[in-house]
Amino acid sequence: MSDAAQRSRLVALIVASALFMEMLDGTIIAVALPAMAGSLGTDPVTLTIGITSYLLTLVVVIPASGWLADRYGVRTVFATAIAGFTLASLACGLSDNLWQFTAARILQGASAALMSPVGRLAVLRNTEKKDLVQAIALITWPALVAPVVGPPLGGFISETLSWRWIFFVNLPIGLAGILLVLRFVPNHKASELRRFDATGFLLTALALAALIAAFDLATHGGVGPVIVAGLFAGGLAVGFLAVRHISARPGRLVDLATFRVTTFAAATLHGGILFRITAGAVPYLLPLYFQIGFGLDAFAAGMMVLAYALGNVAMKVVTTPVLRRFGFRRVLVFNGLLAALGILACAALTPATPEVLSALVLFAAGCFRSMQFTSQNTLMFADIPDALKSSATTLSTMVHQLSVGIGVALAALILNSSAAFRHDGSALPDSVDFRVALAAMALIAFVSMWRFLFLDPAAGAEVSGHIAVTKSRRDSHRA
């Protein structure tokens, strides 16, 4: 392995560790809310303000991440983000009341908004195209594994230690991350400084905040549909104004010309956003399905979902050779079909299904999800020129956050609608309703695959190495 490849792998591992800390923290606290609420002198419903404030701050700050990295350097911004997240984790663990906790979560959200896109930017700027698949695979696993292992791990920590340790465990990871970033990540800056587009930032932040708030309220309830619809419509309206404003000032905040790169548009929008909706919804549905539909406790349900997480991790070692052999188009089409069938197979599981068979189905579904996720994330950046890399990481992170929000909200809507239709609105969702929701997610995953049918067979070939392999085989046959 060359020195450049070793540096790329090291940078990707550092970024992956930081992203895992961030994403795990975002999912791990849900099951610990009752214990946290009692300790902080409030109730679990009120304490969800800590989750909501984190999400809103996250999406508000994301649009500025690329500009900050270009202005102050990738290493400086990434190390500062990890430091802020680590300090905020300490403050969360030491909180004595709701408002201290909420303030700490806001700082965490702001730091997380910089960690994800700037971390990806660090990987892109330190990785040659031939090594990009492996690098993206490394930084993708946190997004696949954290939502799955977070809830059972949160329950285990809060029951055996204290809910405060959910945040304290971030301290050694964060401190190690800061030292490693300062030591090994170059401080790349933009060659030309650009003015900060304050108007574009405010419009984009407001649009994202309104949309995420609408999805969050639709999922957790507590407000009427008129408020949710108003937030959603307002977010779309402000988003339209933001796009028009940014389009007139290319490069000031983000460059929307990034979407004219065919591979980026296909993997981010179109089929990409549809598959990410299912990627956000399925980890939300499965633990609840096993608890409500199968009657398992939180820990037992978590152990079942662990097979799904193991499939996500196991697939990483074969992603590179598979893409090199078949290319992006074939993998995204055929694996996309298998990913949809995997979700449908999960919907077919029942309490009577043998445990070994259930584990195999979940493991296979996790494998297909992982392959599709990594392939999309790699294709996304395959043809992005250096000048658009900061915009690409910012825009892709924004789309990802919206997709996950849509996925969870849509899954909750289908669950509740199915229950209301079957029981005249008089019952909570049961196993049948979860199967309906999972089947709907399988359908969305199937539809997402169709966009990739129209990719050029050579799309992303410089990254996958597929064309080189094909040419080598043809030459050997001729010889």
Side-chain angles (χ1 to χ4, degrees), residues 70-430:
D70 285 347
R71 174 66 178 82
Y72 297 103
V74 170
R75 180 179 61 208
T76 300
V77 175
F78 193 46
T80 302
I82 297 175
F85 194 90
T86 305
L87 289 173
S89 297
L90 177 62
C92 285
L94 296 176
S95 297
D96 291 323
N97 58 59
L98 173 63
W99 303 114
Q100 289 178 5
F101 179 73
T102 302
R105 289 290 285 173
I106 289 173
L107 176 58
Q108 266 195 324
S111 302
L114 300 179
M115 285 171 64
S116 185
V118 177
R120 287 178 172 84
L121 184 58
V123 171
L124 288 181
R125 288 188 170 165
N126 286 278
T127 305
E128 297 178 4
K129 285 197 172 185
K130 63 183 180 64
D131 300 318
L132 192 58
V133 176
Q134 291 181 331
I136 295 297
L138 284 173
I139 65 172
T140 298
W141 70 263
L144 295 169
V145 176
V148 177
V149 303
L153 183 59
F156 176 78
I157 291 175
S158 61
E159 289 178 9
T160 58
L161 297 172
S162 162
W163 66 265
R164 298 182 187 276
W165 281 96
I166 290 174
F167 301 100
F168 290 155
V169 294
N170 290 335
L171 301 184
I173 302 174
L175 290 173
I178 295 169
L179 295 175
L180 290 170
V181 169
L182 293 176
R183 173 65 178 84
F184 294 107
V185 178
N187 200 34
H188 292 292
K189 297 181 182 180
S191 56
E192 295 183 12
L193 296 180
R194 49 197 170 103
R195 291 177 56 195
F196 183 69
D197 182 7
T199 302
F201 170 73
L202 291 173
L203 287 172
T204 305
L206 183 59
L208 290 172
L211 291 172
I212 291 295
F215 298 142
D216 188 61
L217 291 172
T219 303
H220 297 104
V223 299
V226 175
I227 294 176
V228 173
L231 281 170
F232 184 73
L236 291 178
V238 177
F240 172 78
L241 294 177
V243 170
R244 190 170 70 172
H245 174 85
I246 292 171
S247 298
R249 295 159 182 80
R252 288 274 295 275
L253 185 65
V254 292
D255 196 334
L256 298 182
T258 311
F259 287 119
R260 290 202 286 269
V261 178
T262 304
T263 47
F264 181 83
T268 307
L269 304 176
H270 313 317
I273 196 170
L274 289 175
F275 188 79
R276 282 177 175 77
I277 287 173
T278 69
V282 174
Y284 163 78
L285 288 169
L286 287 180
L288 294 175
Y289 180 35
F290 295 138
Q291 291 178 70
I292 296 173
F294 287 36
L296 302 178
D297 59 34
F299 182 75
M303 292 304 294
M304 285 195 69
V305 178
L306 183 60
Y308 187 70
L310 291 175
N312 281 292
V313 175
M315 204 62 172
K316 297 305 175 193
V317 298
V318 300
T319 300
T320 299
V322 168
L323 284 172
R324 187 171 177 81
R325 172 66 179 84
F326 297 104
F328 280 104
R329 188 176 74 168
R330 287 184 181 178
V331 170
L332 286 168
V333 170
F334 290 107
N335 186 76
L337 176 60
L338 292 174
L341 292 174
I343 298 173
L344 199 59
C346 290
L349 297 176
T350 70
T353 306
E355 291 184 2
V356 174
L357 180 58
S358 295
L360 288 174
V361 168
L362 290 166
F363 181 83
C367 286
F368 301 138
R369 174 178 181 253
S370 175
M371 175 69 78
Q372 197 75 359
F373 211 74
T374 300
S375 299
Q376 285 187 182
N377 285 352
T378 308
L379 180 66
M380 185 188 304
F381 300 114
D383 300 316
I384 294 294
D386 288 343
L388 294 178
K389 283 181 177 177
S390 62
S391 290
T393 54
T394 300
L395 290 168
S396 63
T397 304
M398 289 163 56
V399 172
H400 175 76
Q401 290 296 330
L402 286 175
S403 302
V404 172
I406 293 171
V408 175
L410 182 60
L413 176 63
I414 294 172
L415 270 178
N416 294 328
S417 298
S418 176
F421 177 78
R422 293 175 54 247
H423 302 289
D424 297 323
S426 60
L428 295 173
D430 58 24

